[in-house]
Amino acid sequence: MSELYAARRMQLRDRVAGAGSAAALVSRPANVRYLTGCAPSGAALLLGPAIDVLLCGRPLSGDPAEGRPAEDVRVSVLPTRGGDPVVAGADLAAKAGADTLAVEEHHLTVTRHRALSQVAPRLHLTDLACAVEAQRLVKDDDEIACLRIAAEITDQALGELLESILVGRTERHLALELERRLVDHGADGPAFPTSVATGPNAGRPGHLPTDRRVEEGDFLSVCLGANYRGYRCEIGRTFVIGTTPEDWQIELYDLVFAAQRAGREALAPGVECREVDRVTRYVLDAAGYSECLGPWTGHGVGLEIDEDPQLSPAAMGKLDACVPVTVEPGVHIPGRGGVRIDDTLVVRPEADGGPELLTITTKELLAL
Amino acid sequence: MSELYAARRMQLRDRVAGAGSAAALVSRPANVRYLTGCAPSGAALLLGPAIDVLLCGRPLSGDPAEGRPAEDVRVSVLPTRGGDPVVAGADLAAKAGADTLAVEEHHLTVTRHRALSQVAPRLHLTDLACAVEAQRLVKDDDEIACLRIAAEITDQALGELLESILVGRTERHLALELERRLVDHGADGPAFPTSVATGPNAGRPGHLPTDRRVEEGDFLSVCLGANYRGYRCEIGRTFVIGTTPEDWQIELYDLVFAAQRAGREALAPGVECREVDRVTRYVLDAAGYSECLGPWTGHGVGLEIDEDPQLSPAAMGKLDACVPVTVEPGVHIPGRGGVRIDDTLVVRPEADGGPELLTITTKELLAL
């Protein structure tokens, strides 16, 4: 694994040197983890022609959720209590003779950026921009293997919930139980706060669980995902509680299902991201639900639950093979509830069988 | 409650005007909530002489965890999908005729700050710095009431755990169960990730739960807290599992207890923050454990779990009445484990009975 991280750092080093900087300081936690295997809270990675140092404000915890640094990364714990690893990194770069340093301006606050300038006034600070995020876009086999395990864990947790009695339990309890089951099956934790939405709440994107109890006839929509070795996936499903679904429920479900299938089937290397969004959105627009949709209908996943590419009307760029994305349209009708269906898939060429579905829980409209 | 938020905004408006700015743009979530009662993800509050607008990227969810905006705050949902409320706020300030705008440079990234300059090039951007954080330091009765309820919930959750069988259960499971119990008793959620540390892990600050199982003879240290209406408290306790504690365990416990008591007893209005840290630290330093201590031995709590004041050697400033803080020294001996004891207290003058202890779970060394 150490070679893998070294190769990633080498690629970034080449890019940084090509842009005219002698050194780079990476501070966004997912980027630090991508390049070193480890993301201690607040740590920064200084990448230079001669030096690669992971600067930490405290000793490494050794916790699996934090990861472990690649063997060839020098770990340096700040001697000063409460010091800022980013500021220490700039200081170190200046002392090592660097004249320019590329920093992540989309992650550093104005105040921290100013502190960097002050500690190393002769260092010319440039913008690394999203160079590491761009590198993270296409996943390698190890990364996809982690996502596959994360999806397996997620399917297991959801499957067990479906076998239990749901009527009378609150959204909060169901969400906590799902998170417990994720951990039971080997997740480092939930990939994001689990959403359980019942009745009139069902179908609301990012709904935070309330004390509302599941009732007969409700729509129940859940959205959850496991974090496995830092890699995060996402699944969303909607069910009906108890009796046979009503006609409006079946119609709404079929509509969202059709939209989600259209999006899934559009996934292929070379396809524009906004095209995937367009075909998904079109189905709901045509049925008069254009207002229900958020700014995007899917997004990349990996070391963060919401990363590039974005599947949205304004998205630039095309899909590549080995890019994992979600496809997650939904409709919410105020006062009545709604439907969301969400999968994590890996973009693959037709010759390899097309998009690889990671979250395999059934998308039939189950009455639980 | 609306008058309360209006008074807070008025106070900030006066301060901003005094510093020469016509308007301020607040983006740090806890600050937005403090001034409006509500903190939708990514929202920004534009505060001007004529206009008070809460700019949101999406409609309010109505979830209790998000809070509800005060009645006199105008809520404006961005028409543009995926737009940045902060950028929209700068645009609105410029259109309303403001010539200067104070922004939170310690919260805005360099990239977002640049986007603000670009959307409103004639607006002179100044630094609001930590003006809202300073206002949040001393809590009013409503805020302390929320913290008191948060502490009650936390004590209940911990008390129930102590009555259950612990041997053989993993750190992860115990942490999840504690979080479930917090929610059962009315918390909006945990105030921070619950820490459960057993055996050699015990006493490690911020330890993330692992799959290690509780064994006879272990030290078990837990750190948890409830989030109630946005207000967060913290408790930390250490126990011994099963049999009578060994001598080294009793000695270490008594030492940390003495350090924590020294800190608690030093809390009074007018006392320097670093003095509280000094008396706490002194007890452990004198016993040869100076290396075990982190950069601080306590901190303020409120809408964030870690806010001003900091109780640390370098801390400036003095304590005030009605400031809630934690006192949380600990010792961790690598390979053996350790002890942490952590309380949330409100600073009160001697005449009012001295510091008010919010987290009342016993600090005896229990053998469970």
Side-chain angles (χ1 to χ4, degrees), chain A residues 61 63 81-82 105-106 108-111 113-114 172-173 180 183-184 187-188 204 207-208 210 281 290 295, chain B residues 61 63 81-82 105-106 108-111 113-114 172-173 183-184 187-188 204 207-208 210 281 290 295:
Chain A
S61 70
D63 285 318
R81 285 170 170 167
E105 293 190 352
H106 62 298
L108 290 184
T109 65
V110 176
T111 304
H113 192 267
R114 189 182 302 123
R172 278 186 211 267
H173 272 111
R180 185 177 63 74
V183 171
D184 276 353
D188 292 326
R204 282 180 53 202
H207 172 76
L208 301 175
T210 70
R281 207 174 279 275
S290 53
Chain B
S61 70
D63 286 319
R81 286 169 170 167
E105 292 189 354
H106 61 298
L108 290 184
T109 64
V110 176
T111 304
H113 192 269
R114 188 183 302 125
R172 278 185 211 266
H173 272 112
V183 171
D184 276 353
D188 292 325
R204 282 180 53 201
H207 172 76
L208 301 176
T210 70
R281 207 173 280 274
S290 54

